[in-house]
Amino acid sequence: MIVILKQNPAQAQVDKLVSWLNDKGYDTNVSVGRQETIIGLIGDTSSVDVDLLRSLEVVEDVKRITEPYKNANRKFHTDDTVINVGGVKIGGGHFQVIAGPCSVESREQVTEIAKCVKAAGATLLRGGAFKPRTSPYSFQGLREEGIDILLEAKAETGLPIVTEIMDAAHLPLFGDVDLIQVGARNMQNFELLRSLGGAGKPILLKRGLANTIQELLMSAEYIMASGNPDIILCERGIRTFETATRNTLDLSAVPVLHRLSHLPVIVDPSHATGESWLVRPTSVASAAIGADGIMIEVHNDPPHALCDGAQALTCEAFADVMGDINAVRAAMFAEK
Amino acid sequence: MIVILKQNPAQAQVDKLVSWLNDKGYDTNVSVGRQETIIGLIGDTSSVDVDLLRSLEVVEDVKRITEPYKNANRKFHTDDTVINVGGVKIGGGHFQVIAGPCSVESREQVTEIAKCVKAAGATLLRGGAFKPRTSPYSFQGLREEGIDILLEAKAETGLPIVTEIMDAAHLPLFGDVDLIQVGARNMQNFELLRSLGGAGKPILLKRGLANTIQELLMSAEYIMASGNPDIILCERGIRTFETATRNTLDLSAVPVLHRLSHLPVIVDPSHATGESWLVRPTSVASAAIGADGIMIEVHNDPPHALCDGAQALTCEAFADVMGDINAVRAAMFAEK
Amino acid sequence: MIVILKQNPAQAQVDKLVSWLNDKGYDTNVSVGRQETIIGLIGDTSSVDVDLLRSLEVVEDVKRITEPYKNANRKFHTDDTVINVGGVKIGGGHFQVIAGPCSVESREQVTEIAKCVKAAGATLLRGGAFKPRTSPYSFQGLREEGIDILLEAKAETGLPIVTEIMDAAHLPLFGDVDLIQVGARNMQNFELLRSLGGAGKPILLKRGLANTIQELLMSAEYIMASGNPDIILCERGIRTFETATRNTLDLSAVPVLHRLSHLPVIVDPSHATGESWLVRPTSVASAAIGADGIMIEVHNDPPHALCDGAQALTCEAFADVMGDINAVRAAMFAEK
Amino acid sequence: MIVILKQNPAQAQVDKLVSWLNDKGYDTNVSVGRQETIIGLIGDTSSVDVDLLRSLEVVEDVKRITEPYKNANRKFHTDDTVINVGGVKIGGGHFQVIAGPCSVESREQVTEIAKCVKAAGATLLRGGAFKPRTSPYSFQGLREEGIDILLEAKAETGLPIVTEIMDAAHLPLFGDVDLIQVGARNMQNFELLRSLGGAGKPILLKRGLANTIQELLMSAEYIMASGNPDIILCERGIRTFETATRNTLDLSAVPVLHRLSHLPVIVDPSHATGESWLVRPTSVASAAIGADGIMIEVHNDPPHALCDGAQALTCEAFADVMGDINAVRAAMFAEK
C-alpha cells in the first residue's frame, strides 16, 4: 500500500504519521521525491482502513497495490479451481448446465422437469425451496418440504441438486443438498457467509444487484476465510438505469473474474434478463465468452408457474438452447 | 390492475385469459375500445405476478393502479405516524438527532461520546455492536459485549439506544435495545425482516445501496405484515456512477417517501457521503428538506476509530452542526 | 395511449379533461369500469407530453401503448434493413467487421493498418479525424487532414471508410466518407442529428453512455424523420457503478434492438471495455449473440498510439480475434 | 503523476519505460522501495494518457496526484469567482434566483411571467428558444424569434436573460443574451464548448445526466482554456436506477464543487425532479447546502405549457418558494 502525502508536508507531520503506522504494526518506507513524498506500507495491509488514512490532513491519497482478498486471488493460486458437485466437475475446462424451475411447486412438477432437462443435457437440477420475494404477499416457497421434493427428484434422475439458503439457521436442512446457493440479495449477509465456512459442501455465490466484481470476490473471501474453499461465482445481471431488461447482464465480468480469481464462474441469463425470449441469445453469448456453466430456468408450464414464469423456458425451448450452447462450445473450446 | 391486450386479439384468447384470471380469484371487467381491449382486475392484486402476465402472448402490457404495499401506504393511513423510541417521539413534527460512534470500541469511549452528544442536543445514542464489514479481515464489532456497553451508557445518560442486528438468531440479545437497526445490506434479508415482526419494538430500516423507494416500502411492509407497525425509514445514499462521494445522497427521497407513506423518514449523512467535512452541509440540507431526524457519526478520536473514522465528526464539530440544524429548523418549521 | 383516472373522479373534471384532449386534436374513448375510469386516446400520440398529462390532478397515470418512434419501429417495417456502405452490405444476415486506429495519426500509420486489417478479413476501415476528448489538453485529431489520409487509404485498399463527425458545420468535409459516425457524447446533439437527415449517406449512431435503448431509437428517429433512412445502431457500453471495466457492455441490447427495430446493430467492444485483453472474449460473445457487425480498434504500435492505445489490438491479435469470430459465426449462422 | 511498477521489474524494462517517458518530455524520479518501484513524473502531466500507461506490461497502476484541470481548480485560484451577469453578481456570497418558462411560447406569456417572477424576487429571466427534445415530433422551440421575445421582456422588466445554445453556428444570434446556457446533453459537445471560449459573456454549464463532477470541471476547463473565464456550474440531477423522480438530484455535488473549484454553483430543482410539488423542498435544501443560486421553471398556465408543464410552478407557488428560500438563507448566511 502506498500513502501519497500532500505537497511539502511538515516534517513533524510526516514523523507523526510514520510512528502512528508503525504503532499499528506496519513497516514503512519513506521516499522523498522532488514532487511528492510517498510512504510505502510493508506487510499485510488487508485490514487497513483506507478511507480513514485518506482523511488525514497530511495525506493526499492512498493506493492499494495488492487486492484485499487472498484466498480467492489468482496471484496466489494460478491454476483454475475445479469443483466437484455431487460427482459433477465444474471449472478448469469442465462446463455444466444447471436447469430447473424457479420454485419447487410439487413432486410431479419437479420430477417431470428434472427428467426433461436431463434428457436435454443438463447435469445439475436447480429449484427454489426457500424463496426471497420482494413482496410479503407473494408465494414464499415450500421451504423444508421443497428440499425433500428436490431430493426425491435427485434419487429418481441422479442429478445433483442446487437450492438457495436464506438464513444461517436453516443450514441443518441442507445436509443432502449438493450445492448451496447464496442469492443476490444475501451476497453481503455476512453472518450467513461466515456460517457457510462450515457447510462442508460447495457454495454457489451470486453477485448482488449493485455489487462490484471486487465485492463479489470479498464475499467469496468471507466463506473461504471461514474454512470452505469450494465457491462457484455467478454473474446474474446488475442494476443500471436501463429498464428494457430486468437487469443488465454484465458478461465482461466473466473474463474479468477469470483473470482476478481461480474460481469457476457461471452465468444466470434467466434472472439477468427476466424474459424467456432473451435466454437463448444470452446463453449462447455466455458460452462463447468462456463461462464455466450456465443456469437456466425451465418450467413444464410457464404460464402457471408460481414465480418468475415470465423468464422460464419450456422443456422444448430448453433443448433448443442446449443445442446452440453445444455448437458454440464445440467451435470455441475443446471439451474436457 | 389493468391488463392491456395486443391490438385485435382473437376472442378465444381473450376468453381464455379471462377464465384463467377468474380461476386465480380475480373478478374481471373487460372494456373493448376502438383502439385497444383492456381487462380490469378487481380485488386485492398485491400477489399478482406482473411479469408473468406481461409475458403472455395476448398481453401488451400490465399496469398496477394501486401500490403493492398497504400497511405502509399513506392512502390508507393519512396521518403521520409518530413512533415512541424509549420515550422519545419521532415523526409527525417531532424531530430527533441520533448520534454516536460507528463501532462500540470500549466502555470509556462510548460513555464519553454519549455525554458529549447529549450535551450538544442529541436525543438518541447510536453505536455498532455487530458490524457488517466488506472484508473478513476487518474489525467485526464487539457483538454481545458491545450491546452491554451501550446499555451502560444508556443507564448513565438516559439516552435511548440504537444498534444494528445482522441475523434473526441474535434477536434475543436485543431485548433492552430501544430501536433495532436493519442495515442497508440486509434491507432485503427477508428472513430477518419477518423475524422483526415479533420484535416488540421499533425498527430503523435503512435503504439498500441499490434499492428503489418502492422496494424500501416493500421491506417495511414485510415487517408490518409480520406484526410490527413501528418502522422508521432511513435514506443513506445510493450507489451511482459518481465516485466523488462514497454514495450519492438522494435527498428527494425524503419528500417522496412522505408523500407515499405515513412512516417517519430520517437521513444518515455520514454513511451517505463517507467524509466528515460533508456532514455539515448535508445535515443542514436534510433538516431543510423536512427529514424527521438525522443520524450522525461522532467519535472522540476519529483518527483512532476502529471503523469509518473518515466520516466521524469530533464532539466539537458535532455541536456546531447541531447549531446549524436548529437554525434551519427554527426558520422552516414550528417545533413540536 | 391510455389515461388512467384517479378513483371516483368528479364528472366535471372528466368532461374538462376530455374536452381539453379533444381541443389538442385527439379522439377519446372513455371507459368507466367498476374500479377505474380510463380514457383511450386515438390517433397519433407521438407528440403528447406524458409527464404533463400525468401531473394533472384527476390523472393517476398515463400508459403509452405504442412506441414514440415510427420510422425505426419494426412493427411498421418487419423485414431487416440491409444497408449498403460503399458497396459493402450490413444487416439482414450480412455481417461485417470494421477495424482501424482510434485516431488518424499519419499517412504511413493508416495505410499500414488498413492493409493488415484487410488481410485479416475486415471489410471497412475506421479512423478518427475529429476526436472528442474529455480534456482540452489532449490530442484533438488531425481534422480535415485526417479525412484526406483516410481517403488515400481507401484508394489504396478499396476499404470503405468510417469516421466521426462532431459538428453539423463540418458536414461538407464528409462528402467522400462512406459511413458517418455519431459518437456516444453526441447521441443527443439534436442539431447534428437533424443535419444528418440530408447527409445522403449511411450513419453509424453510437449509444450514449447513459442513454436507454428507447432513447437510442429516438435519436435514430430524428435522423430518419429528417430524411435519411440508413442508420446502423452501435452498442458501446453504458455507464454503471462497476469500475473494473471502463463501461459495462450491455450485450442484451443487441437482441432487444433487433426485436424493436429493423435497423442493423453492431457492437464496439474496444470502447466498451477499454482494455485490449477484453476485446477477444467480448467480440466472440457479440458475434454469438447475433450482432450484425463488430468494430475493433487496431494499431500498428499500441504503446505509441496518440489516443486510447490501451484498448487497441496489434494486427496479429486482430487476426486471431477474426478467426474466433468466424468460428462462432460458422457454428451459429449461415453466412450470406 | 506516479507510475507504480509490477513487483520485481526487470531493470531493462524500467530503463526502457524511463527513456520512453523522457522522450515524451517528462522528467522522472525513480524510487526503489523494498516492496515496490515507483516512477514519479515531473512537470505538466495533464495530457498524459493514463489508460495507455496503465496497459504497459511492466506497470501495475498509475495515480494522478494533481487534477487534470487547471483554470477551474481552486488550488490555483483560492478566492471564489464572482460573475457579473448583465449587472447581477453571482458567486462569492452573491445568491440569485433565475426563473421563467421552460419554452418561450409567445410575447404575452414571457412578459407576464417575467413580471411575476421579478415581483417575487427573481433577478434573472430564463426561457428556452432552442429546445433539445428527445422526440423529433415534439415542439422544438421558436428559435431566433424566441430570443427576440426574451429581449423584449428584458427591455420591459430589466431582468438579464438566460437561454440555451445548441450549436456553435447559432452563436451570432446570442449577441444580446446575458448568460448562455449549455444544456446537459451538450456538456461534452466539445466543438460547442470550444466556440464559447470566444463568446465574450458568461456561460451557464449544466452537468450531463451521466457525467461525473470531474467531467463537469473538465468541460468548464474546455471553455476556460479557450479564453472565457466566466463559467457558472449547474447541478440538475443525474441518471440512476431510481425512477420515482425523473433524475436523482445530487445535492452533495454543491459542496464538493465548491471545494474543488472557485466557480459559482447553482441548482436546477425543476429538471432534477421533474415534478412541480418537489420543487419547493429541493429548492430549500439547495439554499441550505450553500448553492450560489437556484433556477426554477415558472409558467403562467402550466397545464397548457408547450414543454415540461409537469415541473413548472405557477407564479403564486413560485412566490411561496421564494419566501422559504429567503428564510433559509437568512438563517444560514449573511447576505451580500
Side-chain angles (χ1 to χ4, degrees):
Chain A
M1 184 172 290
I2 289 176
V3 181
I4 302 157
L5 302 192
K6 293 228 170 84
Q7 283 186 292
N8 307 318
Q11 189 58 41
Q13 280 190 301
V14 179
D15 293 346
K16 199 174 151 198
L17 177 58
V18 166
S19 90
W20 183 69
L21 288 166
N22 292 343
D23 285 357
K24 292 208 158 222
Y26 308 113
D27 283 346
T28 51
N29 175 33
V30 181
S31 140
V32 182
R34 261 179 294 170
Q35 199 186 23
E36 63 275 320
T37 301
I38 291 167
I39 304 178
L41 263 64
I42 297 157
D44 177 4
T45 60
S46 48
S47 65
V48 171
D49 183 338
V50 172
D51 286 333
L52 170 60
L53 217 45
R54 198 176 277 135
S55 76
L56 300 179
E57 205 193 332
V58 70
V59 173
E60 174 77 32
D61 210 342
V62 178
K63 181 81 215 112
R64 275 197 183 280
I65 293 180
T66 50
E67 295 82 12
Y69 46 90
K70 301 173 222 173
N71 291 288
N73 199 327
R74 192 179 279 275
K75 281 190 190 156
F76 309 122
H77 186 304
T78 49
D79 289 343
D80 287 345
T81 284
V82 179
I83 292 179
N84 186 318
V85 181
V88 172
K89 289 179 182 172
I90 189 159
H94 301 274
F95 176 88
Q96 308 298 343
V97 173
I98 305 170
C102 174
S103 292
V104 173
E105 296 169 24
S106 74
R107 199 154 266 106
E108 297 65 36
Q109 170 231 22
V110 175
T111 308
E112 182 181 335
I113 297 172
K115 286 180 183 165
C116 89
V117 299
K118 184 181 180 185
T123 44
L124 293 120
L125 175 67
R126 61 146 290 151
F130 291 87
K131 296 299 307 169
R133 304 300 302 272
T134 308
S135 166
Y137 309 119
S138 297
F139 173 60
Q140 308 278 323
L142 294 181
R143 303 172 72 96
E144 292 87 331
E145 188 193 344
I147 294 183
D148 289 342
I149 291 175
L150 285 168
L151 290 172
E152 289 182 37
K154 176 187 176 180
E156 196 152 345
T157 60
L159 293 178
I161 60 169
V162 189
T163 196
E164 179 169 351
I165 191 165
M166 285 175 66
D167 194 297
H170 300 158
L171 191 51
L173 301 170
F174 286 70
D176 295 319
V177 169
D178 298 285
L179 178 60
I180 303 179
Q181 176 177 316
V182 175
R185 287 176 184 76
N186 278 314
M187 193 201 90
Q188 293 195 317
N189 180 340
F190 300 119
E191 295 291 316
L192 176 59
L193 298 181
R194 225 188 318 259
S195 77
L196 295 174
K201 56 187 61 193
I203 307 300
L204 177 60
L205 180 64
K206 298 186 96 172
R207 181 179 182 185
L209 268 77
N211 286 112
T212 61
I213 286 172
Q214 178 166 311
E215 288 170 341
L216 174 58
L217 290 170
M218 289 307 292
S219 286
E221 188 77 11
Y222 251 96
I223 307 174
M224 296 172 94
S226 305
N228 187 345
D230 292 337
I231 316 292
I232 299 170
L233 305 170
C234 180
E235 161 61 30
R236 45 76 75 215
I238 57 173
R239 185 164 271 185
T240 70
F241 63 84
E242 177 61 72
T243 55
T245 44
R246 185 152 64 175
N247 299 287
T248 297
L249 177 61
D250 179 13
L251 270 190
S252 314
V254 176
V256 171
L257 283 167
H258 276 154
R259 189 179 179 100
L260 296 174
S261 177
H262 51 89
L263 297 172
V265 182
I266 72 167
V267 176
D268 175 347
S270 302
H271 282 87
T273 64
E275 302 205 44
S276 58
W277 69 272
L278 279 167
V279 172
R280 199 201 64 79
T282 49
S283 292
V284 174
S286 300
I289 211 165
D292 298 297
I294 302 179
M295 182 153 73
I296 296 178
E297 289 199 358
V298 177
H299 198 279
N300 51 348
D301 185 10
H304 287 87
L306 290 179
C307 102
D308 281 343
Q311 70 200 29
L313 297 185
T314 60
C315 287
E316 295 68 37
F318 174 68
D320 283 351
V321 174
M322 280 301 299
D324 285 339
I325 290 172
N326 290 335
V328 162
R329 293 269 319 157
M332 297 290 302
F333 306 103
E335 207 68 42
K336 278 202 189 177
Chain B
M1 184 172 290
I2 289 175
V3 181
I4 302 157
L5 302 192
K6 293 228 169 84
Q7 283 188 292
N8 307 317
Q11 189 58 42
Q13 281 190 301
V14 179
D15 294 346
K16 195 172 154 202
L17 177 58
V18 166
S19 90
W20 182 69
L21 289 165
N22 292 343
D23 284 357
K24 292 208 158 223
Y26 308 112
D27 282 348
T28 50
N29 175 33
V30 181
S31 141
V32 182
R34 258 179 295 169
Q35 199 186 20
E36 63 273 320
T37 302
I38 292 167
I39 304 178
L41 263 64
I42 296 156
D44 178 4
T45 59
S46 47
S47 66
V48 171
D49 182 339
V50 172
D51 286 333
L52 170 61
L53 218 45
R54 198 176 278 135
S55 76
L56 300 180
E57 203 192 332
V58 70
V59 173
E60 173 77 32
D61 210 342
V62 179
K63 180 84 214 104
R64 275 197 183 281
I65 292 178
T66 51
E67 295 82 12
Y69 47 91
K70 303 173 217 170
N71 291 288
N73 199 328
R74 191 179 280 274
K75 281 190 188 156
F76 309 122
H77 186 303
T78 49
D79 289 343
D80 288 344
T81 284
V82 179
I83 291 178
N84 186 319
V85 181
V88 172
K89 289 180 182 172
I90 190 158
H94 301 274
F95 176 88
Q96 308 298 343
V97 174
I98 305 170
C102 174
S103 293
V104 173
E105 295 168 26
S106 73
R107 201 154 266 106
E108 297 66 36
Q109 171 231 24
V110 175
T111 307
E112 183 182 333
I113 296 172
K115 286 179 182 166
C116 89
V117 300
K118 185 181 180 185
T123 45
L124 292 120
L125 175 66
R126 60 148 290 152
F130 292 87
K131 296 299 306 170
R133 303 301 301 274
T134 308
S135 167
Y137 310 117
S138 296
F139 174 61
Q140 307 279 323
L142 294 181
R143 304 174 70 97
E144 293 86 331
E145 189 194 344
I147 294 182
D148 289 342
I149 291 175
L150 285 167
L151 290 172
E152 288 182 39
K154 175 187 177 181
E156 198 153 342
T157 61
L159 293 177
I161 60 169
V162 188
T163 196
E164 180 168 352
I165 191 166
M166 285 174 65
D167 194 296
H170 301 157
L171 191 52
L173 301 171
F174 286 70
D176 294 319
V177 168
D178 299 285
L179 178 60
I180 302 179
Q181 177 177 315
V182 175
R185 288 176 183 76
N186 279 312
M187 194 202 91
Q188 292 194 319
N189 179 340
F190 301 118
E191 295 291 315
L192 176 60
L193 299 181
R194 225 188 317 260
S195 78
L196 295 174
K201 56 188 60 193
I203 306 299
L204 177 60
L205 179 65
K206 298 186 97 173
R207 180 180 182 184
L209 268 78
N211 287 111
T212 61
I213 286 172
Q214 178 166 309
E215 287 169 341
L216 174 60
L217 290 169
M218 290 306 294
S219 286
E221 188 78 12
Y222 250 95
I223 307 174
M224 298 172 94
S226 307
N228 186 347
D230 291 338
I231 316 291
I232 300 170
L233 305 170
C234 180
E235 161 62 29
R236 45 79 71 214
I238 58 173
R239 185 164 271 186
T240 71
F241 63 83
E242 177 60 72
T243 56
T245 45
R246 184 151 63 176
N247 299 287
T248 297
L249 178 61
D250 179 13
L251 269 189
S252 314
V254 175
V256 171
L257 283 167
H258 276 154
R259 191 178 178 100
L260 297 173
S261 177
H262 50 88
L263 297 172
V265 183
I266 72 167
V267 177
D268 175 348
S270 302
H271 282 88
T273 64
E275 302 205 43
S276 57
W277 70 271
L278 279 167
V279 171
R280 199 202 65 79
T282 49
S283 292
V284 173
S286 300
I289 211 165
D292 298 297
I294 302 179
M295 182 153 72
I296 297 178
E297 289 198 358
V298 177
H299 198 278
N300 50 347
D301 185 10
H304 287 86
L306 290 180
C307 101
D308 281 343
Q311 72 199 28
L313 297 186
T314 60
C315 285
E316 296 68 38
F318 174 67
D320 283 353
V321 174
M322 281 300 300
D324 285 338
I325 291 171
N326 290 335
V328 161
R329 294 270 318 159
M332 297 290 302
F333 306 102
E335 208 68 41
K336 276 203 189 175
Chain C
M1 183 171 294
I2 289 175
V3 181
I4 301 156
L5 302 192
K6 292 227 171 81
Q7 283 187 293
N8 307 317
Q11 189 58 43
Q13 280 189 300
V14 179
D15 294 346
K16 198 174 152 198
L17 177 59
V18 166
S19 90
W20 182 69
L21 288 166
N22 293 342
D23 285 356
K24 291 208 159 225
Y26 308 112
D27 282 347
T28 50
N29 175 34
V30 180
S31 141
V32 182
R34 260 179 294 169
Q35 199 186 23
E36 64 273 321
T37 302
I38 290 167
I39 304 178
L41 263 65
I42 296 156
D44 177 5
T45 59
S46 48
S47 66
V48 171
D49 183 338
V50 172
D51 286 332
L52 170 61
L53 217 45
R54 198 175 276 135
S55 77
L56 300 179
E57 204 193 331
V58 71
V59 173
E60 174 75 32
D61 210 342
V62 179
K63 182 81 214 112
R64 274 196 183 280
I65 293 180
T66 50
E67 295 82 11
Y69 46 91
K70 302 173 219 172
N71 292 288
N73 199 328
R74 191 179 280 275
K75 281 190 189 156
F76 309 121
H77 185 303
T78 49
D79 289 343
D80 287 345
T81 284
V82 179
I83 292 178
N84 186 318
V85 181
V88 172
K89 289 180 182 172
I90 189 158
H94 301 274
F95 176 88
Q96 308 298 343
V97 174
I98 304 170
C102 175
S103 293
V104 173
E105 296 169 25
S106 74
R107 199 153 267 106
E108 297 67 35
Q109 171 231 23
V110 175
T111 307
E112 182 182 335
I113 296 173
K115 286 179 183 166
C116 88
V117 300
K118 185 180 180 186
T123 44
L124 292 119
L125 175 67
R126 61 147 289 153
F130 291 86
K131 297 299 307 170
R133 304 301 301 272
T134 309
S135 167
Y137 309 118
S138 298
F139 174 61
Q140 309 279 323
L142 295 181
R143 304 172 72 95
E144 292 88 332
E145 188 194 343
I147 294 182
D148 289 342
I149 291 175
L150 285 167
L151 290 171
E152 289 181 38
K154 176 185 175 181
E156 196 153 345
T157 61
L159 294 177
I161 60 169
V162 188
T163 196
E164 179 169 351
I165 191 166
M166 287 175 64
D167 194 295
H170 301 157
L171 191 51
L173 301 171
F174 286 71
D176 295 318
V177 169
D178 299 284
L179 177 60
I180 302 179
Q181 176 178 317
V182 176
R185 287 176 183 76
N186 278 313
M187 193 201 90
Q188 293 194 319
N189 179 340
F190 300 119
E191 294 292 315
L192 176 59
L193 299 182
R194 223 187 319 258
S195 78
L196 295 175
K201 56 188 63 192
I203 306 298
L204 176 60
L205 180 65
K206 298 186 97 173
R207 182 179 181 185
L209 268 78
N211 287 111
T212 62
I213 286 172
Q214 178 166 311
E215 287 170 342
L216 173 59
L217 290 170
M218 289 307 293
S219 286
E221 188 78 11
Y222 251 96
I223 306 174
M224 296 172 94
S226 306
N228 186 346
D230 292 338
I231 315 291
I232 300 170
L233 306 170
C234 180
E235 160 63 29
R236 45 80 71 213
I238 58 173
R239 186 164 269 186
T240 71
F241 63 83
E242 178 61 72
T243 56
T245 43
R246 184 151 65 176
N247 299 288
T248 297
L249 177 60
D250 179 13
L251 270 190
S252 314
V254 176
V256 171
L257 283 166
H258 276 154
R259 190 177 178 101
L260 297 173
S261 178
H262 51 88
L263 298 172
V265 182
I266 72 167
V267 177
D268 175 347
S270 303
H271 282 87
T273 65
E275 302 205 44
S276 58
W277 69 272
L278 279 166
V279 172
R280 200 201 64 81
T282 49
S283 292
V284 174
S286 300
I289 210 165
D292 298 297
I294 303 180
M295 182 153 73
I296 297 178
E297 288 198 0
V298 177
H299 199 278
N300 50 347
D301 185 10
H304 287 86
L306 289 179
C307 103
D308 280 342
Q311 71 200 28
L313 297 186
T314 60
C315 285
E316 295 69 37
F318 174 68
D320 283 351
V321 173
M322 281 301 300
D324 285 338
I325 290 172
N326 289 335
V328 162
R329 294 269 320 157
M332 297 289 302
F333 306 102
E335 208 67 41
K336 275 201 191 176
Chain D
M1 183 172 291
I2 289 176
V3 181
I4 301 157
L5 302 192
K6 292 228 170 81
Q7 283 186 292
N8 308 318
Q11 189 58 42
Q13 280 190 303
V14 179
D15 293 346
K16 195 172 153 201
L17 177 59
V18 166
S19 90
W20 183 67
L21 289 166
N22 293 343
D23 285 357
K24 292 208 157 222
Y26 308 113
D27 283 346
T28 51
N29 174 33
V30 181
S31 140
V32 181
R34 260 180 292 169
Q35 200 186 19
E36 62 274 321
T37 301
I38 291 167
I39 303 178
L41 263 65
I42 296 157
D44 177 4
T45 60
S46 48
S47 66
V48 172
D49 183 338
V50 172
D51 286 333
L52 170 60
L53 217 45
R54 198 177 277 135
S55 76
L56 300 179
E57 203 193 333
V58 71
V59 173
E60 173 76 33
D61 210 342
V62 178
K63 182 81 212 111
R64 273 197 184 281
I65 293 179
T66 51
E67 295 83 12
Y69 46 91
K70 301 173 219 172
N71 292 288
N73 199 327
R74 192 178 280 275
K75 281 190 189 156
F76 309 121
H77 186 303
T78 49
D79 289 343
D80 288 345
T81 284
V82 179
I83 291 178
N84 186 318
V85 181
V88 173
K89 289 180 183 172
I90 189 158
H94 301 275
F95 175 88
Q96 308 298 343
V97 173
I98 305 170
C102 174
S103 293
V104 172
E105 296 169 25
S106 74
R107 199 154 266 105
E108 297 65 36
Q109 171 231 24
V110 174
T111 307
E112 183 182 335
I113 296 173
K115 286 179 182 166
C116 89
V117 301
K118 185 182 181 185
T123 44
L124 293 120
L125 175 66
R126 61 148 289 153
F130 291 87
K131 296 299 307 170
R133 303 301 301 273
T134 308
S135 167
Y137 310 118
S138 297
F139 173 61
Q140 308 279 323
L142 295 181
R143 304 172 71 95
E144 292 87 331
E145 188 193 346
I147 294 182
D148 289 342
I149 291 175
L150 285 168
L151 290 172
E152 288 182 38
K154 177 187 176 180
E156 197 153 344
T157 61
L159 292 177
I161 60 169
V162 187
T163 196
E164 178 169 352
I165 191 166
M166 286 175 64
D167 194 296
H170 301 157
L171 191 51
L173 301 171
F174 286 70
D176 295 320
V177 169
D178 298 285
L179 178 60
I180 303 178
Q181 175 177 317
V182 175
R185 289 176 182 75
N186 279 313
M187 195 202 89
Q188 293 193 319
N189 179 341
F190 301 118
E191 295 291 316
L192 177 59
L193 299 181
R194 224 188 317 260
S195 78
L196 296 174
K201 55 188 61 191
I203 307 299
L204 177 60
L205 179 64
K206 298 187 97 173
R207 181 179 182 184
L209 268 79
N211 287 111
T212 61
I213 287 171
Q214 178 167 309
E215 288 170 340
L216 174 59
L217 290 170
M218 288 307 293
S219 286
E221 188 79 9
Y222 250 97
I223 307 173
M224 296 171 95
S226 307
N228 186 347
D230 291 338
I231 316 291
I232 299 170
L233 305 170
C234 180
E235 161 62 30
R236 45 79 72 214
I238 58 173
R239 184 163 272 186
T240 70
F241 63 84
E242 177 61 72
T243 56
T245 44
R246 183 151 64 175
N247 299 288
T248 297
L249 178 60
D250 179 12
L251 269 190
S252 313
V254 176
V256 171
L257 283 166
H258 275 154
R259 190 179 178 100
L260 296 174
S261 178
H262 50 89
L263 297 172
V265 183
I266 72 167
V267 177
D268 175 348
S270 302
H271 282 87
T273 64
E275 301 205 44
S276 58
W277 69 271
L278 279 167
V279 171
R280 200 202 64 80
T282 50
S283 292
V284 174
S286 300
I289 211 165
D292 298 298
I294 302 180
M295 182 152 73
I296 296 177
E297 289 198 358
V298 177
H299 198 277
N300 50 347
D301 185 10
H304 287 87
L306 290 180
C307 100
D308 281 342
Q311 71 199 29
L313 297 185
T314 60
C315 286
E316 296 68 37
F318 174 68
D320 283 351
V321 173
M322 281 301 299
D324 286 339
I325 290 171
N326 290 335
V328 161
R329 295 268 319 157
M332 297 289 303
F333 307 101
E335 209 68 45
K336 277 201 189 177

